[in-house]
């Protein structure tokens, strides 16, 4: 409650951010990763290069900007559920010109994945370039804000959790429903081809513009910390979809990645490798 001081049982500091997390998770699954990442000229920004190197990501993807580096504070309850406050910092400086400068990489990438720790202009330009090259674009609208029409018009797939799906419904002026039918219909009318709505322990449902509906149960695991689970799911989905274009397989792999990510503390060290993902799938499938 307001004004209350709470005692914590632990503290953990690690590199993160949704874009970085998704890049790390995809790289651990064996994907070739390129991207745009902005950091400031402060102490946190100085940690970016070694963090990228440790994650086997090319530090050339970093864009150095004056000011503060983005940061987030996550609160983890005893049952593993989380709430996260995010400050975008230098991430907000990424522009349409940054995306234009990355045109060759965007046109070559099988999938362009974006989230909302960066501004609309960079995403809209990146998606327009990717779709112009007949590539797949995936939006994870987190931390949530209403999605600009120009982004929806060039977005192939939206991946959103239950909270974000409800927020999408309110922003789009449609009814909130558990199976995301109304949200999906509104997104399709605006140019999106598919909605993947994740629902935690209830699994995920994918609705495609051609009328197909796919459901993916969650894998039962002991939850330690759900920070990074959504990023693991998004990266797991994008990686397999880029490789195969197979919807059921992509959803199954995404669910496995999300499940594995909640079994350890934090995000950076919890994202699974391809071998760990495949071992879980072999054990339960």
């Amino acid at each position: 409650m307001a004004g209350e001081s709470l005692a914590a049982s632990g503290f953990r500091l690690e590199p993160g951010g949704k874009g970085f997390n998704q890049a790390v998770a995809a790289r651990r699954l064996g994907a070739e990763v390129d991207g745009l990442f902005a950091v400031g000229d402060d102490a946190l920004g100085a940690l970016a290069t070694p963090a990228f190197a440790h994650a086997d990501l090319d530090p050339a993807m970093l864009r150095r900007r004056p000011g503060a580096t983005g940061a987030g504070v996550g609160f983890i309850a005893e049952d593993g559920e989380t709430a996260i406050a995010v400050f975008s910092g230098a991430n907000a400086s990424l522009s349409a010109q940054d995306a234009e400068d990355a045109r060759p990489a965007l046109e070559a990438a099988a999938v362009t994945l974006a989230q909302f720790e960066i501004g609309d202009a960079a995403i809209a330009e990146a998606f327009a370039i990717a779709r112009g090259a007949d590539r797949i674009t995936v939006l994870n609208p987190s931390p949530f804000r209403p999605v600009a029409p120009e982004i929806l018009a060039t977005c192939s797939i939206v991946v959103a959790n239950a909270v974000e799906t409800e927020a999408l419904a309110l922003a789009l002026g449609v009814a909130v429903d558990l199976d995301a039918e109304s949200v999906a219909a509104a997104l399709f009318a605006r140019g999106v081809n598919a909605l993947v709505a994740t629902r935690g322990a209830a699994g995920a449902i994918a609705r495609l513009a051609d009328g197909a509906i796919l459901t993916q149960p969650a894998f039962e695991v002991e939850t330690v910390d759900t920070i990074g689970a959504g990023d693991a799911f998004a990266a797991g989905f994008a990686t397999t979809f880029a490789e195969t274009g197979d919807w059921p397989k992509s959803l199954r792999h995404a669910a496995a990645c999300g499940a594995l990510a909640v079994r350890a503390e934090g995000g950076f060290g919890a994202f699974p490798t391809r071998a760990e993902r495949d071992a879980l799938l072999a054990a339960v499938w």
Side-chain angles (χ1 to χ4, degrees), residues 68-143:
T69 300
V73 178
F75 300 91
I76 307 166
E78 290 183 353
D79 63 0
E81 288 300 322
T82 60
I84 305 174
V86 174
F87 167 62
S88 289
N91 294 313
S93 72
L94 287 175
S95 66
Q97 186 59 53
D98 288 311
E100 176 59 36
D101 292 343
R103 176 179 287 273
L106 288 163
E107 292 179 336
V111 170
T112 293
L113 176 59
Q115 39 65 46
F116 272 173
E117 284 181 355
I118 64 175
D120 287 353
I123 298 172
E125 183 67 14
F127 277 16
I129 292 170
R131 286 296 290 273
D134 199 26
R135 305 300 186 180
I136 300 296
T137 55
V138 179
L139 177 68
N140 177 211
S142 177

Side-chain angles (χ1 to χ4, degrees), residues 21 27-28 63 87 100 125 151 159 172 177 179 191 284:
N21 285 348
R27 185 72 191 114
R28 287 195 183 154
R63 303 293 184 269
F87 167 62
E100 176 59 36
E125 183 67 14
I151 293 176
V159 178
L172 295 169
D177 54 87
D179 62 2
V284 300

Side-chain angles (χ1 to χ4, degrees), residues 220-246:
E220 292 187 12
V221 295
E222 182 178 350
T223 299
V224 173
D225 175 357
T226 62
I227 284 180
D231 296 330
F233 184 101
F237 172 82
T239 298
T240 300
F241 200 81
E243 294 173 353
T244 68
D246 184 312

